[in-house]
Amino acid sequence: MNTTANYHPPPSSQPPFSDSDLDSDSDSENFQVGSDLSNSIFKTYLEFSSSSSSSSSSSITAVDLSKIQSFLTSSSSGALSCLICLERIRPSDPTWSCSSLCFAVFHLLCIQSWARQSSDLSAARAAARLPITAETAAKQATWNCPKCRSSYSKSEIPRCYLCFCGKLRDPPSDNPWILPHSCGEICNRPLPNNCGHFCLLLCHPGPCPSCPKSVKARCFCGSVEDFRRCGFKNFSCNKLCKKRLDCNKHNCSEICHPGTCPPCRARETYRCRCGKKEEEKDCCDRDYRCENECKKLLNCGKHVCERGCHGGDCGECPLQGNRTCPCGKRIYEGMPCDGVAPVCGATCNKLLNCGFHRCPERCHKGPCVETCRTMVKKACWCGGLKKEVPCYQDLSCERKCLRMRDCGRHACKRRCCDGDCPPCSEVCDKRLRCKNHKCPAPCHRGACAPCPIMVTISCACGETHFEVPCGTEMDHKPPKCRKLCKITPLCRHASTSKPHRCHYAACPPCRAPCEEEYPCGHKCNLRCHGPRPPPNPEFTLKPKKKKSNHQTECTPGTPCPPCPELVWRPCVGEHFGAERMMVCSNTTRFSCDNLCGNLLPCGNHYCTKTCHPLETQPSSSGHQKRSESCEVCNLPCQKVRMPKCSHPCPLPCHPGECPPCKVLMKRSCHCGAMVHAFECIHYNNLSEKDQVAARSCGGPCHRKLPNCKHLCPEICHVDKCPAPDKCSKKVTVRCKCQTLKKEWICQDVQAAYRDTGNDPKDIPKNQFGLGLLPCNSDCKRKIQEVESALQLRKPKVLEKKEPENKKHGPKRRKRRDRIQEGKQVSRFQEFVATMKRLLLFIIIVAALIAVTYYSYKGLLQLSDWMNEVELQRAKRRRSRF
């Protein structure tokens, strides 16, 4: 049952935040979803653990969930990265997580490729070093986790995409209320320490926390019984252990502890095993042996015990009974224990320490020779040298092994190597994919293991943080912290400023207005530009950020700029509506760059000069005296005549009304057949009906009808011609071959075209009425006669004659042939050219021979010099050893 299906995040009372926090609402949504996911995942676990009222249980719970919380923070903030490809793990990417130690998350394709390459390399090394077949090596091959190096078998290579708990295949990634790569169900994995209970969290990354259930348990010493959480049921009562120690004499004096009690350290005087020596020792070391021999008299009464310090009976004399010669070939019976067994005189023939040869001396007392001096033919380890040497002596040559080691980069270079070259002892030192560290592993074949270092990215207060793989820190944004910033503002609004959330870089600027008063009486309306606290330089990470093109109004920490308040100021001409908004402190006068606009003496126009100052003084007549006169009007008269006329007045600009217009104007008749000339004032004084009657020519209309090619039969009229479809003109109608013809009325022809789906307007004039009559037999006979006549009129095709003389070519080719025939080379010139070619060939061959000779000689000298250097190095090494 999915516990997150009906889950709603609980409401929380948040303190008021500043306006700067509203800019990151889109980013905080992802954080809110991440916190809700944490609450839903930990809900069941916290319900079980809340029954424990002790403070230690709450601290243990926080420690248990810290690892999982770190995984959730990384996943919700998009900081989860694959250690193999260093790319961000998206919610829809198939993944695999290590279940041994590190619980790191990888891309499924990356870990499959990694596991196959590692197992194949392991199998190749095992087949080369061990006496097993390639198939057996492939079956026994293992691969390691890229981070914690935990070993997995080849059968454990992931084949499919599973959720964190391993119950669901291909978990969904489109549910925002379920953790990515999770099934949303209860984890139900067995908890650590094999307590028998199962994980109560929702399917989650990382290790399962300790068991939250309460059980009745005893302390380590068993004296105190208490209810404890199942995951931490082993506890110490902090009292003396008092368990009986191994000596069965003293009790344990340590504080209650896990495991077995330490050895007893009580000091007392004890005798050794033989009883000759007494020493003060710890109780755990009471059974000890002294350095003296036993030297007790044996049962034979002639010899003493040669054993070291021991307890109990010394035993029988070893020289009693049957005795043999030193080589063991002859047996002597009935000899006393104090008698000496004689040698037999035969060859000793005991197997020497070499394990191949026997002692060649005669039967003798004491051990045989330690070194076998039999001369044998031995080969060195590499097989390059064979020589007769004593058996005890090893044979080795000075030849260096040139085989490549397992790394494939360095040669073995051991002297007299047996072929089993050891692993490369050099450090790999390749630059890892994080580009910050180098590979510290021994030189190896294949790709280096990912950088195991994790970088912590935290907020400014350090309360919210998550870990990312080394090398990916620049690709992740810092975490969003929900706590308030603890830095005190330095501006004058510190007491009234709104709190803001914890942030990564410097504190946001104060958004309150400055409101400092200027000497002019206005107040500064800019945003607060007081001092700002500097950013904390001790952050864990400083990612790259884009430079903002926004320019602040004023630099923080500077005084207020000059008063920016704007006031209305009139222009020098005191025009209405030409006032300008100017800075309060700026008192300079300006010209509005508009026209003066004062009425000229003509009474019709205004002054077109640019705005100029006017100093007016009242006079006795009531008029105003101007300091600068306006311009004189030189324009023609621009008044509108009455009645309205399009002709301008021929007089210059003048006051009063204009004289009547006597200009003749031409107007065409309605049909366009003729043009009338009217006096302008006479025509404009007529009414509209009289103007229409005056413009009519009185004759027939000369306009063509729209649907046919005939003229309108009406008298010259206004607007469109009436009844265009009722044309009564006669039209000659023909068949397609134009053999038959008849006369129809035009309106019938138009109707026939409309019946056939054609528009009469689209018919050309020369084809109007053509094809409306059907053809008959006379039409077909006439067509045949015309075709036969046309066939007789066709000219006969003349056969093309081929040119008789094909040798004729263009003149340019003949000229070129004559020039080539005229060029004749003498024998002497041919001989000189041949000698030049031969001499050039000899010079080239001699140069090649000289270059080859001197190159070969230089290579020989270089080889001799390198051999001398190598011999000198060998002598130096021998002298060191």
Side-chain angles (χ1 to χ4, degrees):
M1 176 178 174
N2 194 343
T3 58
T4 61
N6 299 323
Y7 175 73
H8 299 282
S12 60
S13 60
Q14 295 292 342
F17 294 109
S18 63
D19 298 337
S20 62
D21 297 329
L22 301 177
D23 299 338
S24 59
D25 287 342
S26 60
D27 295 338
S28 62
E29 290 178 1
N30 296 333
F31 181 86
Q32 186 68 28
V33 173
S35 61
D36 293 341
L37 289 177
S38 302
N39 295 335
S40 62
I41 290 175
F42 298 149
K43 182 179 180 181
T44 310
Y45 182 83
L46 294 176
E47 287 177 356
F48 276 90
S49 61
S50 61
S51 60
S52 179
S53 60
S54 62
S55 60
S56 61
S57 63
S58 60
S59 61
I60 291 172
T61 302
V63 173
D64 290 345
L65 302 180
S66 61
K67 186 75 174 177
I68 304 175
Q69 183 64 49
S70 177
F71 274 101
L72 294 179
T73 305
S74 301
S75 178
S76 61
S77 60
L80 202 61
S81 301
C82 178
L83 279 175
I84 300 176
C85 64
L86 295 184
E87 296 292 338
R88 188 170 68 87
I89 298 179
R90 297 178 178 83
S92 59
D93 294 341
T95 59
W96 176 86
S97 58
C98 176
S99 59
S100 297
L101 295 176
C102 62
F103 298 93
V105 183
F106 307 91
H107 286 120
L108 181 62
L109 296 179
C110 295
I111 197 63
Q112 287 176 345
S113 176
W114 173 276
R116 292 191 187 98
Q117 293 179 6
S118 300
S119 58
D120 293 344
L121 184 60
S122 175
R125 288 180 178 176
R129 292 178 174 274
L130 302 177
I132 57 177
T133 61
E135 296 180 356
T136 306
K139 291 180 181 179
Q140 299 177 356
T142 59
W143 56 280
N144 299 326
C145 172
K147 184 176 182 181
C148 63
R149 313 305 295 172
S150 298
S151 181
Y152 293 91
S153 63
K154 193 172 183 180
S155 60
E156 293 177 326
I157 296 177
R159 307 293 181 187
C160 58
Y161 173 34
L162 300 175
C163 63
F164 292 115
C165 63
K167 291 185 294 186
L168 181 62
R169 184 171 181 176
D170 297 329
S173 60
D174 54 352
N175 193 342
W177 295 107
I178 296 179
L179 184 69
H181 319 294
S182 168
C183 62
E185 302 289 339
I186 295 179
C187 177
N188 211 23
R189 285 183 286 184
L191 293 176
N193 301 326
N194 296 325
C195 65
H197 303 119
F198 300 93
C199 181
L200 300 176
L201 298 179
L202 298 184
C203 183
H204 62 89
C208 295
S210 58
C211 183
K213 294 187 178 180
S214 297
V215 295
K216 195 173 183 180
R218 286 186 175 273
C219 64
F220 295 116
C221 64
S223 60
V224 177
E225 189 175 10
D226 192 10
F227 281 95
R228 293 273 176 170
R229 288 181 56 187
C230 182
F232 299 93
K233 59 186 176 183
N234 298 325
F235 69 99
S236 174
C237 63
N238 295 325
K239 297 180 182 179
L240 293 179
C241 180
K242 294 184 180 181
K243 285 184 179 180
R244 203 70 171 176
L245 297 177
D246 295 338
C247 62
N248 292 325
K249 185 178 179 183
H250 303 98
N251 295 330
C252 179
S253 59
E254 299 288 335
I255 300 297
C256 181
H257 58 86
T260 58
C261 295
C264 182
R265 297 296 178 183
R267 302 286 292 183
E268 289 186 8
T269 303
Y270 298 99
R271 287 182 176 272
C272 64
R273 291 183 180 181
C274 64
K276 294 181 180 179
K277 190 175 180 179
E278 288 185 359
E279 286 185 4
E280 186 180 0
K281 295 236 180 222
D282 293 337
C283 182
C284 59
D285 298 331
R286 60 187 178 275
D287 186 14
Y288 71 98
R289 300 172 64 182
C290 63
E291 295 85 5
N292 302 324
E293 294 183 358
C294 180
K295 292 186 179 180
K296 289 182 181 180
L297 193 64
L298 298 177
N299 294 335
C300 65
K302 300 178 181 179
H303 300 94
V304 294
C305 180
E306 296 180 355
R307 295 166 59 190
C309 180
H310 66 88
D313 191 10
C314 294
E316 300 290 337
C317 180
L319 298 178
Q320 289 181 350
N322 296 334
R323 300 172 64 185
T324 61
C325 64
C327 67
K329 293 180 180 178
R330 181 171 296 183
I331 300 174
Y332 300 99
E333 298 179 358
M335 286 188 65
C337 65
D338 55 349
V340 179
V343 296
C344 63
T347 304
C348 179
N349 208 24
K350 287 182 180 179
L351 192 64
L352 298 178
N353 294 335
C354 65
F356 298 101
H357 306 99
R358 296 185 179 274
C359 180
E361 298 181 0
R362 291 189 179 276
C363 182
H364 58 86
K365 297 179 180 180
C368 298
V369 291
E370 295 181 358
T371 56
C372 178
R373 299 186 177 275
T374 305
M375 298 298 291
V376 294
K377 190 173 184 180
K378 288 186 176 182
C380 64
W381 294 104
C382 65
L385 178 63
K386 292 183 180 180
K387 187 178 179 181
E388 286 191 355
V389 293
C391 182
Y392 74 92
Q393 185 177 352
D394 292 331
L395 181 62
S396 62
C397 64
E398 297 295 327
R399 183 177 298 176
K400 289 184 179 180
C401 179
L402 299 179
R403 291 190 183 95
M404 298 300 291
R405 299 194 181 186
D406 292 341
C407 64
R409 296 170 58 190
H410 303 100
C412 179
K413 292 187 178 180
R414 284 201 310 172
R415 295 191 181 276
C416 195
C417 180
D418 58 352
D420 186 12
C421 300
C424 186
S425 59
E426 300 286 338
V427 179
C428 178
D429 209 31
K430 286 183 179 178
R431 182 72 66 179
L432 297 178
R433 293 196 63 180
C434 66
K435 298 182 181 179
N436 297 326
H437 305 95
K438 293 183 179 180
C439 181
C443 189
H444 55 85
R445 189 187 298 270
C448 299
C451 182
I453 299 176
M454 301 295 289
V455 179
T456 302
I457 302 178
S458 66
C459 62
C461 64
E463 296 292 337
T464 306
H465 57 84
F466 57 83
E467 293 183 348
V468 297
C470 178
T472 62
E473 58 268 18
M474 293 300 178
D475 301 331
H476 299 289
K477 294 181 180 179
K480 296 290 182 180
C481 183
R482 306 293 293 182
K483 298 190 176 182
L484 297 179
C485 180
K486 301 178 181 179
I487 302 175
T488 305
L490 302 179
C491 64
R492 59 193 298 268
H493 307 98
S495 59
T496 59
S497 62
K498 294 181 180 180
H500 57 273
R501 294 172 184 165
C502 177
H503 49 84
Y504 190 77
C507 290
C510 180
R511 295 178 179 268
C514 180
E515 294 185 350
E516 286 193 10
E517 190 172 355
Y518 288 104
C520 60
H522 299 113
K523 290 185 178 180
C524 180
N525 295 326
L526 299 179
R527 185 177 293 178
C528 178
H529 47 82
R532 292 173 59 188
N536 189 354
E538 297 181 356
F539 287 164
T540 307
L541 176 67
K542 292 184 179 180
K544 297 179 180 178
K545 294 185 178 179
K546 296 181 180 179
K547 295 182 179 179
S548 60
N549 296 327
H550 176 70
Q551 296 181 356
T552 57
E553 298 175 352
C554 191
T555 305
T558 58
C560 293
C563 179
E565 196 71 27
L566 299 177
V567 294
W568 289 102
R569 294 286 172 82
C571 62
V572 294
E574 298 182 357
H575 293 99
F576 293 102
E579 293 85 359
R580 289 186 182 179
M581 295 291 291
M582 298 183 66
V583 180
C584 178
S585 58
N586 188 6
T587 58
T588 58
R589 303 188 68 185
F590 67 95
S591 173
C592 65
D593 296 333
N594 293 329
L595 300 179
C596 176
N598 291 320
L599 191 63
L600 296 178
C602 65
N604 300 323
H605 301 95
Y606 298 90
C607 179
T608 58
K609 282 186 177 181
T610 307
C611 179
H612 53 86
L614 299 175
E615 294 181 3
T616 59
Q617 294 180 356
S619 63
S620 59
S621 61
H623 295 285
Q624 293 181 346
K625 205 176 206 180
R626 299 174 181 174
S627 62
E628 184 178 348
S629 61
C630 294
E631 64 181 352
V632 179
C633 182
N634 295 321
L635 299 175
C637 180
Q638 296 179 355
K639 291 182 179 180
V640 178
R641 293 183 174 185
M642 295 303 296
K644 292 184 179 181
C645 174
S646 61
H647 304 102
C649 179
L651 300 178
C653 186
H654 57 87
E657 296 182 358
C658 297
C661 182
K662 300 294 184 178
V663 178
L664 293 177
M665 53 184 301
K666 295 181 180 181
R667 293 289 184 271
S668 62
C669 66
H670 303 301
C671 63
M674 61 181 301
V675 178
H676 300 281
F678 302 99
E679 196 175 31
C680 181
I681 187 171
H682 171 72
Y683 183 78
N684 289 331
N685 286 330
L686 295 176
S687 63
E688 185 176 358
K689 185 177 180 181
D690 294 338
Q691 287 181 359
V692 171
R695 289 184 59 181
S696 177
C697 63
C701 183
H702 285 74
R703 287 179 288 185
K704 292 183 179 180
L705 296 176
N707 296 334
C708 61
K709 309 305 178 183
H710 302 115
L711 298 179
C712 178
E714 301 293 332
I715 303 299
C716 180
H717 58 86
V718 189
D719 298 331
K720 296 181 180 180
C721 296
D725 297 337
K726 302 298 183 179
C727 182
S728 59
K729 299 286 184 177
K730 292 185 179 181
V731 179
T732 302
V733 181
R734 299 176 182 272
C735 64
K736 288 185 178 180
C737 63
Q738 299 184 5
T739 301
L740 303 178
K741 64 178 180 178
K742 288 184 180 181
E743 286 187 354
W744 288 7
I745 299 175
C746 182
Q747 58 184 0
D748 297 338
V749 175
Q750 295 178 18
Y753 273 120
R754 289 190 185 94
D755 294 340
T756 58
N758 297 326
D759 192 357
K761 297 179 182 179
D762 299 335
I763 306 302
K765 182 177 180 180
N766 57 353
Q767 295 183 3
F768 194 76
L770 183 64
L772 295 179
L773 295 178
C775 294
N776 54 14
S777 58
D778 296 339
C779 296
K780 293 181 181 180
R781 184 177 65 255
K782 185 175 180 180
I783 290 173
Q784 291 178 358
E785 291 176 357
V786 171
E787 287 180 355
S788 60
L790 290 175
Q791 189 70 24
L792 294 174
R793 293 179 183 179
K794 286 184 180 180
K796 295 182 179 180
V797 179
L798 299 177
E799 297 179 358
K800 294 183 180 180
K801 295 182 180 180
E802 296 182 358
E804 297 178 356
N805 190 7
K806 295 183 181 180
K807 294 183 180 181
H808 297 289
K811 294 181 179 181
R812 187 175 297 174
R813 184 182 300 174
K814 293 179 180 180
R815 183 178 179 183
R816 186 171 61 249
D817 295 340
R818 287 197 301 268
I819 292 172
Q820 290 179 358
E821 291 175 2
K823 290 183 180 180
Q824 295 181 359
V825 182
S826 62
R827 294 182 178 178
F828 178 75
Q829 291 178 351
E830 292 179 355
F831 175 77
V832 171
T834 304
M835 293 301 295
K836 286 182 179 179
R837 295 191 190 95
L838 182 61
L839 181 60
L840 180 61
F841 176 78
I842 292 172
I843 291 172
I844 292 173
V845 171
L848 290 175
I849 292 172
V851 169
T852 305
Y853 173 76
Y854 287 109
S855 300
Y856 178 75
K857 192 172 182 181
L859 290 174
L860 291 178
Q861 291 178 358
L862 180 62
S863 178
D864 295 338
W865 177 76
M866 292 177 68
N867 291 334
E868 290 178 2
V869 171
E870 189 66 26
L871 291 175
Q872 290 178 3
R873 289 181 180 175
K875 289 179 181 179
R876 290 176 186 172
R877 292 175 182 172
R878 290 175 185 173
S879 61
R880 290 177 184 174
F881 293 115

